[in-house]
Amino acid sequence: MGFPHQPHPRETTVLSKYFGDADARTLDGWKKRGGYKALEKALGMAPADIVNVVKESGLRGRGGAGFPTGLKWSFMKPGDGKPHYLCCNADESEPGTFKDRELMRWTPHALVEGCAIGAYAIGAETAYIYIRGEFTEPLYWMEKAVKEAYAAGIIGKNAMGSGKRIDVHVHKGAGAYICGEETALMNSLEGRRGNPRIKPPFPAVSGVFGMPTTINNVETLIAAAPILLNGADWYKKMCLSNPKSTGTKLFSVCGNVVRPGTYEVVMGFPFREFLYDLCGGPLHGRKFKAVIPGGASVPIQTMDEAEATLMDYEGFVEKGSMLGSGGVIVIDDAQPMVTVIARIARFFAHESCAQCTQCREGTAWTTKILERIRDGEGTMEDLDTLMDIAEQMTGKTICVLSDSCAVPVVSGINKFRNEFEALIQGRRFHPVNAAVA
Amino acid sequence: MAEQKMVNLTIEGRQVSVPDGTTILEAAKTAGILIPHYCYHPGLPVAGVCRMCLVEVEKAPKLAPACASTVVEGQVVHVHTDKALDARKGVLEMLLINHPLDCPICDQSGECELQDYTYQEGRADSRYREPKRFNPAEDFGGDVIYVPNRCILCTRCVRFMDDIAHDPVLNVSERGDRALIGKFEGRDMTHPWAANVVDLCPVGALLSKDFLNKARAWELDRAASICPNCTQGCNVMMETRENQIVRMRPRPNEEVNAFFMCDWGRLNYRWMNEKDRVEQPMVRNGSGLAAATWEQAISAAARVLSGKKVFVAASAMLSNESLFLLTQLMQGGSGAFRVQEGEEAPLAGVKDLALRRERAANVYGAETLGFKKTKDLLGGLGQGDALVVAGEDLADIDASALSRAGTVVVISSVLPESARSAAVVLPIANFSEEEGTVTNLRGRVQRFTQARQAPGETRPSWLVLGDLLGALGKQSNFFLPSEVFAKLASTHKSFAGLSYDSIGFKGLPVVDAPSNGQNAPVAVGAR
Amino acid sequence: MTPELVGGLESPDYASHDHDAHEPYAPVFTGDVRRELDELLGRYPNKMAALLPALWIVQRERGWVPEEGMVEVAELLELTPAYVKGVVTFYTMYHQHPVGKYFIQVCTTSPCGICGAEDVVKAFLRHTNAGELGVTSPDGKFTVIEVECLGACGFATPVMVNEEFVESMTPDKVPDLLARLT
């Protein structure tokens, strides 16, 4: 629901129903709200059946890539004699995204339950919830919930009396955006620098501690519980547009908008109504100029594109962007685009793990040029150079952080070139710099 | 061993067949195609970070890192398409944006892969207009200096210390463009194999203190040799400038030293440059040792040795060839040698590779040829026997033992103080000045070539000994060390079947080598 | 929903840290803290995986992660100090230098940037007397830094004061917050 605001009638609150409800944070409160019924049901099912239900539901990864969850789970081969691991990616660091934070601090037990279901489904006895270090409040509530769940025998040696061992541990990150990348997360969990790994091997073959591993986003795991309780059909029917995108999705909205917050809508919801009705539209006297709909690493949309978008995986791609993590950054006409984009580039330059050349050097170089243009010291050649660097940073590195930095630059220059040019042309001719350039 | 499955693919239009699991980069090598790379090194685990080795694989959506992509049946790989070249050009430009471009004062210049590939494939100019980052140079301890401004973060050094030396004293510190190679204050690169990081570094970021500012790479002459400093027999390049050895670096040999050599061996080359040499043959006359011609000296030596039982005090630094010829000189006598010892220092990540306890090149060869390894060098010298001192410095030898000798002939590079009473002195080349073979501790016979010119009238030891045998009336007709070796191979069963041609520059085990060389070391590759 | 709950830990804990770097280093992992580490080790199949948690403990106990702390952790987890340092320098939340009693991190990444985060930073610098980013105020109380996305973009501008998360900070709320930090 439109937390921290009143829920909007057009929202469909499945996962966000209890945001702001302090009682739902406790074990008793959670149970009163139907908590752990899904886990109980799951433990009575064969793991393969759980995987099938999730497959059937059409649930796709909510972290950004949108990979079908059931399919991902089915990669974990039962009975291979190796310990399996479930990692919950709670390293929510994509600028503009804060939905997992709300999920964890308001419904921590939902995540414990989701982890336990996921672990059981993939044959893992251990699940790690990797939470970014800055999330002190979610960490606090998650640790408390895990402790309560252990004390109540819901997880542990004999989870809910099923005879199955399911351990859930909270692991605290220490400040690194890149640890949200699944292989970097595994490295970090192992006590290494958060460097992404080369794939293959894929995590399902050799993941954390070299063992078969599945990594799921917080929202994905939490969604598994209602799917199990209500059935795949119930979930699949929640779909307003493309049948490949099902269920509800949390969108966290921020930037220059009247009601920033976390909203839950059914996949395929019209983005225009979302922005103007649910989120309250632009601030007084301002106009929307652009939207970055899926966290800082997806292409920027013009308002024409955004207003024609249906909010699902395919819908955003159709209109020049991506659903990503569902972090909607709204930019109004008071914001200079060059400044916005330069700041995004600086973020990626700060977070590059330093492994791949194009990323280590390219993110910093891009930032320096953009900041120079921002400060009125740019040249027209800089725009070509930026586009060329972006090309070098796309599709050539171990992970996509480098691509993520290039994306807003390319879409920004393509869609808001006039703003770049105005800054460049407003610069007075300066013989010293002209000699350099 | 099960039959290895082979995979067939096409690289740059050439058909290649390689074992399953081979990387595209290694497969290309077999077809003589070098795919440019920095972080990849065949002796280290794959990192895949420099992104220089990107190649185009038909039907693949993205360029593939050749070092981290294993071959697939039927694959068609292009190394030099516009797309691949453009990607590598991009990497090169990025590697150079913060690079100081101080090649004129950089030790690596001339043997720098950043230079080489930039000339080959890079842009002629840079579009970088911003300030370059700066970090001060740092002493890493041991023989190593780090110049971070030149570093391309390929992490070869870190991987060597972690995975090969098993002494993780280096790290990648910080992240993003602030990243650099770091170490912990007070924990230096004191590992006995640490200096290998200097060789591994593809650019001028890790430098040898010993070699610092000594020579430009293009001023060096290089000779394939064997490190003479212990029984491991690491394959090396001896590099000279103006006839002085200024550097020894490992030469890859997977059977012996993989890609590495120890610091002790590497830095212990000055003795071969020493100037305190005998440079002229000498014969004793009434007033002492006097300069003589080679003919005079050889006949004088033959005269004093003729008909005598000869005891040879040899050095285990001598080649198989020379030691063999010395055995021919004994005339019923015998020979012995001593060997300096030190602490063994293994390189953990490579099987059977260590700085060995015995610090001489040819202990195995000497023993095989019948020389007795002893601490009492002259113990076998009988009263009145002739003593031939061959390469031995006679340090700490009791004068009374020496006085048992009826006559003394010195065949050495340096005249030992205690052998100044010798009847004849024949000056020979030292290890770096002649060609020959030595046998390492696993019985591997390895060739070394001449790196420097011998001083004065000095001659190669095998030539001197051949001439001496001839003067003694024994069959001797050697014009090349290979001929001496051929004679050795036909005489001694251990060396049967071997020849310079078959040994080549990677060596071969003697016939009766322990476990016939099956325990050859293998570099630890990908974990 | 209710502002009181937003950002509210049950009991905000402002540990008072002794930041004197000149005092001899006393091992962190003794007694209860050692037992805490042992419990952590039980969660992972190897010792190295406890590195991040162990470093967190050092920072909690010492206020920062001194090199001696890295050595201590390295020995306990059978790693080398260089390795540990490589990890420490990767993650931005480990302090490699002593910081003020209150370590204030202001998010200035784009979503907050377009909502006026820069002004919040300026207000903090002015009112804490720290003057400059990363510099501790003369009274030793405050260190202010800009931080990349804190993941609370809808509550611009989020600020972290040590372990406490403060949402929706504006320049005019800064003096009140600082007054609370004694």
Side-chain angles (χ1 to χ4, degrees):
Chain A
M1 60 180 206
F3 186 82
H5 316 285
Q6 289 304 316
H8 192 278
R10 296 198 59 191
E11 283 189 77
T12 307
T13 54
V14 177
L15 310 182
S16 61
K17 203 168 169 184
Y18 302 111
F19 283 5
D21 175 355
D23 193 42
R25 291 167 154 176
T26 62
L27 177 59
D28 289 343
W30 185 243
K31 279 186 155 170
K32 261 185 255 162
R33 288 162 182 77
Y36 292 112
K37 288 233 166 69
L39 177 60
E40 201 175 351
K41 184 174 177 188
L43 290 170
M45 292 166 73
D49 295 336
I50 301 173
V51 174
N52 280 335
V53 172
V54 174
K55 248 188 201 173
E56 192 54 27
S57 74
L59 175 64
R60 291 166 69 179
R62 301 299 196 224
F67 194 83
T69 307
L71 186 61
K72 196 184 231 185
W73 286 5
S74 71
F75 293 152
M76 302 290 283
K77 297 289 165 231
D80 57 3
K82 293 178 184 167
H84 291 186
Y85 290 102
L86 176 75
C87 291
C88 170
N89 187 345
D91 191 61
E92 182 173 58
S93 317
E94 184 71 44
T97 316
F98 48 98
K99 62 186 179 68
D100 297 341
R101 173 172 182 260
E102 306 298 3
L103 285 169
M104 288 187 285
R105 64 181 185 147
W106 294 114
T107 56
H109 280 284
L111 183 55
V112 175
E113 185 171 9
C115 285
I117 293 170
Y120 175 70
I122 62 162
E125 290 189 342
T126 310
Y128 295 105
I129 305 174
Y130 186 103
I131 305 180
R132 63 179 298 193
E134 292 89 343
F135 274 1
T136 47
E137 199 190 339
L139 273 157
Y140 173 85
W141 290 110
M142 284 313 305
E143 273 167 3
K144 199 165 153 64
V146 166
K147 210 181 236 174
E148 285 174 338
Y150 265 114
I154 291 166
I155 51 174
K157 275 196 291 263
N158 180 12
M160 298 189 99
S162 64
K164 294 282 173 193
R165 181 182 192 108
I166 300 174
D167 282 316
V168 178
H169 302 299
V170 173
H171 191 92
K172 181 183 182 183
Y177 163 77
I178 192 57
C179 292
E181 198 278 344
E182 59 179 13
T183 57
L185 184 148
M186 298 189 304
N187 271 343
S188 182
L189 183 54
E190 288 180 15
R192 301 173 194 273
R193 290 168 64 86
N195 292 340
R197 300 177 183 174
I198 296 176
K199 289 187 270 191
F202 290 94
V205 175
S206 176
V208 73
F209 306 117
M211 297 301 160
T213 303
T214 293
I215 298 166
N216 288 126
N217 174 257
V218 172
E219 188 185 343
T220 315
L221 286 169
I222 292 183
I227 290 173
L228 280 191
L229 281 182
N230 303 316
D233 280 343
W234 163 80
Y235 198 75
K236 217 161 43 177
K237 277 185 194 139
M238 290 194 284
C239 170
L240 298 174
S241 175
N242 195 305
K244 284 183 190 161
S245 295
T246 61
T248 59
K249 172 82 189 90
L250 291 182
F251 288 91
S252 46
V253 182
C254 64
N256 312 127
V257 62
V258 168
R259 284 194 296 271
T262 305
Y263 296 83
E264 186 172 8
V265 291
V266 170
M267 284 285 191
F269 194 88
F271 201 20
R272 185 191 156 82
E273 289 164 46
F274 181 83
L275 289 172
Y276 288 93
D277 298 347
L278 276 64
C279 305
L283 301 174
H284 182 68
R286 308 255 192 97
K287 277 201 298 216
F288 288 156
K289 177 159 80 182
V291 181
I292 309 178
S297 59
V298 306
I300 304 172
Q301 284 185 314
T302 62
M303 285 322 291
D304 284 349
E305 288 172 322
E307 289 175 12
T309 303
L310 295 177
M311 302 169 76
D312 61 18
Y313 293 104
E314 295 75 19
F316 279 108
V317 172
E318 220 167 89
K319 298 297 170 199
S321 190
M322 286 191 289
L323 183 141
S325 55
V328 180
I329 308 170
V330 187
I331 301 160
D332 72 17
D333 55 357
Q335 312 306 327
M337 284 309 284
V338 179
T339 306
V340 174
I341 295 164
R343 192 62 191 79
I344 293 177
R346 173 161 283 274
F347 170 81
F348 287 111
H350 183 262
E351 300 298 335
S352 167
C353 85
Q355 281 195 113
C356 302
T357 307
Q358 293 96 331
C359 180
R360 180 181 69 240
E361 304 293 344
T363 53
W365 189 7
T366 300
T367 307
K368 286 177 185 173
I369 296 179
L370 283 167
E371 291 183 351
R372 192 156 45 74
I373 297 174
R374 180 197 65 194
D375 298 342
E377 297 287 325
T379 65
M380 293 302 278
E381 292 81 58
D382 284 334
L383 297 184
D384 298 339
T385 307
L386 279 173
M387 292 299 269
D388 202 49
I389 299 172
E391 171 59 28
Q392 293 301 339
M393 290 166 65
T394 305
K396 297 183 178 68
T397 46
I398 292 177
C399 80
V400 295
L401 188 140
S402 164
D403 308 56
S404 299
C405 180
V407 158
V409 175
V410 172
S411 58
I413 293 178
N414 283 339
K415 294 174 187 177
F416 299 93
R417 194 176 176 98
N418 55 343
E419 291 198 31
F420 284 82
E421 288 182 354
L423 267 172
I424 291 168
Q425 284 157 355
R427 170 191 164 219
R428 289 180 66 87
F429 182 72
H430 196 295
V432 178
N433 283 321
V436 175
Chain B
M1 208 169 91
E3 189 66 20
Q4 178 84 58
K5 193 186 152 218
M6 298 301 280
V7 174
N8 304 294
L9 68 158
T10 311
I11 304 177
E12 280 294 287
R14 290 176 224 184
Q15 296 296 319
V16 182
S17 185
V18 290
D20 194 16
T22 307
T23 61
I24 292 177
L25 196 146
E26 284 295 335
K29 274 191 198 170
T30 68
I33 299 159
L34 175 68
I35 299 174
H37 59 272
Y38 290 115
C39 69
Y40 174 78
H41 187 282
L44 301 173
V46 169
V49 296
C50 74
R51 314 309 284 178
M52 186 64 189
C53 66
L54 293 174
V55 293
E56 201 172 339
V57 178
E58 280 187 12
K59 293 187 190 121
K62 295 200 287 184
L63 296 171
C67 72
S69 310
T70 48
V71 292
V72 174
E73 183 68 35
Q75 212 168 33
V76 181
V77 178
H78 301 284
V79 182
H80 299 300
T81 55
D82 287 350
K83 203 173 157 196
L85 279 167
D86 196 50
R88 294 205 293 272
K89 199 178 269 185
V91 171
L92 284 167
E93 186 181 22
M94 300 252 194
L95 288 176
L96 286 176
I97 61 174
N98 280 300
H99 187 285
L101 303 175
D102 57 348
C103 310
I105 57 153
C106 177
D107 259 11
Q108 192 83 5
S109 193
E111 52 188 20
C112 172
E113 292 171 38
L114 195 52
Q115 270 184 336
D116 293 348
Y117 291 135
T118 300
Y119 279 121
Q120 196 175 305
E121 300 189 341
R123 291 175 62 94
D125 62 337
S126 172
R127 295 171 293 182
Y128 192 68
R129 301 280 173 269
E130 329 301 327
K132 297 198 179 212
R133 74 171 164 252
F134 173 81
N135 285 301
E138 193 180 341
D139 184 347
F140 270 5
D143 186 42
V144 185
I145 292 176
Y146 177 54
V147 185
N149 298 334
R150 298 179 187 146
C151 181
I152 60 168
L153 265 303
C154 72
T155 71
R156 281 187 190 179
C157 53
V158 180
R159 282 175 282 147
F160 174 80
M161 294 312 293
D162 288 3
D163 298 288
I164 307 300
H166 295 187
D167 183 23
V169 293
L170 294 185
N171 63 30
V172 177
S173 287
E174 308 294 333
R175 68 183 195 210
D177 73 330
R178 288 85 59 208
L180 72 176
I181 302 300
K183 66 181 255 305
F184 201 82
E185 191 60 38
R187 315 267 167 140
D188 282 354
M189 294 194 68
T190 50
H191 189 276
W193 293 74
N196 284 293
V197 299
V198 176
D199 309 332
L200 291 168
C201 181
V203 298
L206 291 169
L207 301 174
S208 159
K209 290 178 199 167
D210 183 75
F211 184 67
L212 199 66
N213 301 336
K214 267 195 190 166
R216 313 309 322 258
W218 54 87
E219 295 170 325
L220 299 174
D221 291 313
R222 297 176 170 85
S225 187
I226 300 298
C227 173
N229 294 317
C230 87
T231 55
Q232 178 72 38
C234 290
N235 293 206
V236 300
M237 279 291 174
M238 281 191 189
E239 303 186 342
T240 58
R241 179 186 179 191
E242 306 286 325
N243 206 35
Q244 297 293 301
I245 300 174
V246 288
R247 179 167 75 175
M248 278 210 285
R249 293 213 293 177
R251 182 162 57 85
N253 186 341
E254 294 207 356
E255 307 292 325
V256 182
N257 56 306
F259 305 88
F260 314 115
M261 74 184 293
C262 76
D263 294 14
W264 194 81
R266 175 193 300 268
L267 298 173
N268 195 8
Y269 60 84
R270 286 180 173 74
W271 61 271
M272 292 182 275
N273 289 336
E274 291 288 350
K275 304 273 193 279
D276 58 339
R277 300 282 293 270
V278 227
E279 298 191 7
Q280 200 163 26
M282 290 184 283
V283 177
R284 178 162 300 280
N285 62 19
S287 57
L289 281 171
T293 65
W294 271 105
E295 287 74 15
Q296 290 165 345
I298 292 284
S299 34
R303 203 162 50 242
V304 298
L305 295 178
S306 181
K308 293 245 176 59
K309 198 167 155 188
V310 175
F311 180 80
V312 179
S315 158
M317 286 290 184
L318 291 174
S319 64
N320 291 319
E321 290 78 358
S322 299
L323 289 166
F324 165 65
L325 294 176
L326 282 166
T327 62
Q328 308 293 298
L329 205 65
M330 289 174 184
Q331 310 181 104
S334 62
F337 70 97
R338 306 183 288 180
V339 59
Q340 234 182 50
E341 294 192 355
E343 216 168 298
E344 179 146 325
L347 181 59
V350 182
K351 201 178 157 199
D352 200 28
L353 177 58
L355 161 61
R356 302 295 174 177
R357 207 166 42 77
E358 299 187 322
R359 303 289 165 84
N362 204 13
V363 172
Y364 190 100
E367 285 195 291
T368 304
L369 290 163
F371 289 84
K372 185 182 171 196
K373 181 162 71 186
T374 174
K375 289 203 162 51
D376 180 15
L377 180 67
L378 299 182
L381 173 64
Q383 187 68 38
D385 287 352
L387 171 64
V388 169
V389 178
E392 241 295 339
D393 62 5
L394 300 181
D396 306 319
I397 291 294
D398 190 14
S400 65
L402 207 58
S403 67
R404 289 207 298 278
T407 186
V408 178
V409 172
V410 173
I411 307 174
S412 274
S413 306
V414 180
L415 179 61
E417 198 55 43
S418 52
R420 291 208 169 265
S421 60
V424 183
V425 177
L426 304 175
I428 54 167
N430 73 21
F431 192 89
S432 63
E433 296 158 357
E434 63 176 35
E435 189 180 351
T437 63
V438 285
T439 312
N440 85 347
L441 82 163
R442 299 289 177 245
R444 191 174 192 84
V445 183
Q446 308 194 89
R447 289 176 62 186
F448 60 93
T449 59
Q450 182 181 355
R452 15 183 345 252
Q453 287 197 315
E457 293 182 32
T458 309
R459 287 181 177 176
S461 54
W462 58 270
L463 183 63
V464 172
L465 289 164
D467 286 353
L468 181 55
L469 285 168
L472 280 164
K474 297 183 199 296
Q475 183 256 330
S476 168
N477 189 21
F478 304 120
F479 295 98
L480 290 168
S482 57
E483 293 167 358
V484 184
F485 190 82
K487 176 77 175 160
L488 164 64
S490 66
T491 310
H492 201 289
K493 63 172 175 35
S494 295
F495 294 87
L498 298 177
S499 72
Y500 270 27
D501 282 351
S502 67
I503 293 167
F505 279 92
K506 298 274 182 182
L508 275 182
V510 292
V511 173
D512 47 2
S515 69
N516 206 16
Q518 288 303 304
N519 271 341
V522 178
V524 176
R527 277 171 291 185
Chain C
M1 166 122 3
T2 47
E4 293 76 44
L5 277 170
V6 174
L9 294 181
E10 280 190 335
S11 55
D13 176 23
Y14 292 135
S16 174
H17 300 304
D18 181 0
H19 290 147
D20 190 349
H22 302 292
E23 267 180 34
Y25 181 81
V28 168
F29 294 95
T30 55
D32 285 347
V33 181
R34 179 59 205 254
R35 278 186 283 281
E36 183 184 354
L37 179 67
D38 289 340
E39 190 277 319
L40 278 171
L41 285 170
R43 298 183 181 183
Y44 309 100
N46 65 33
K47 286 189 174 178
M48 191 165 89
L51 179 53
L52 264 57
L55 290 169
W56 274 121
I57 292 174
V58 172
Q59 180 148 313
R60 185 190 71 204
E61 297 294 316
R62 292 288 176 269
W64 62 299
V65 184
E67 296 214 325
E68 296 93 329
M70 299 183 205
V71 173
E72 190 187 1
V73 169
E75 279 165 9
L76 285 167
L77 303 183
E78 293 163 19
L79 302 166
T80 62
Y83 177 88
V84 173
K85 191 167 188 180
V87 172
V88 168
T89 58
F90 184 89
Y91 297 97
T92 52
M93 293 185 77
Y94 296 125
H95 305 320
Q96 294 168 62
H97 304 283
V99 296
K101 183 178 175 188
Y102 300 105
F103 187 70
I104 299 170
Q105 309 182 62
V106 186
C107 175
T108 58
T109 310
S110 292
C112 293
I114 60 176
C115 296
E118 297 293 336
D119 296 334
V120 177
V121 173
K122 281 182 199 145
F124 269 111
L125 287 176
R126 195 170 59 244
H127 292 295
T128 57
N129 283 325
E132 256 181 84
L133 290 171
V135 173
T136 301
S137 61
D139 57 6
K141 267 173 77 177
F142 303 108
T143 310
V144 183
I145 65 155
E146 285 184 8
V147 68
E148 294 296 350
C149 191
L150 283 175
C153 321
F155 306 89
T157 297
V159 172
M160 271 183 87
V161 181
N162 292 350
E163 294 284 291
E164 191 194 9
F165 217 95
V166 187
E167 293 169 345
S168 308
M169 185 48 61
T170 54
D172 42 303
K173 287 193 211 158
V174 169
D176 283 349
L177 173 68
L178 293 179
R180 194 154 70 76
L181 309 175
T182 51

